[in-house]
Amino acid sequence: MDPSRQLYDAVSQDRQLTASLYRQALNDPGGAVRRLVALAAERGLSVSPEEVRCFVANLEDPGSRRWLDKARGGL
């Protein structure tokens, strides 16, 4: 499975983490991407900031699209 998908699945299962990342993305989108890259590394996954941005840009989930639309400035 794609590391970006694995990271997305892990984050989406943790409501508190998802909410925290969403709040961070509203104020510091670049920091949210860096945090996602760090979370991936903690899980033994290797993703680049560009891979995170690309993955999020291609999500079809309405809730995730809302996150992207609000955080688009830094993504």
Side-chain angles (χ1 to χ4, degrees):
M1 181 185 289
D2 174 44
S4 295
R5 169 54 69 182
Q6 289 177 294
L7 177 61
Y8 176 80
D9 290 346
V11 169
S12 65
Q13 292 176 10
D14 185 333
R15 288 179 121 358
Q16 187 174 14
L17 176 58
T18 300
S20 174
L21 283 163
Y22 177 73
R23 285 190 304 274
Q24 182 176 6
L26 291 175
N27 297 306
D28 179 17
V33 170
R34 287 188 299 276
R35 187 170 168 201
L36 284 164
V37 170
L39 287 167
E42 289 173 11
R43 289 168 170 74
L45 304 170
S46 177
V47 296
S48 69
E50 293 76 25
E51 290 170 319
V52 169
R53 288 182 185 98
C54 182
F55 184 84
V56 171
N58 290 308
L59 286 173
E60 294 184 21
D61 171 58
S64 297
R65 292 298 310 163
R66 183 174 51 96
W67 180 88
L68 173 63
D69 291 342
K70 290 189 181 241
R72 186 170 294 282
L75 292 174

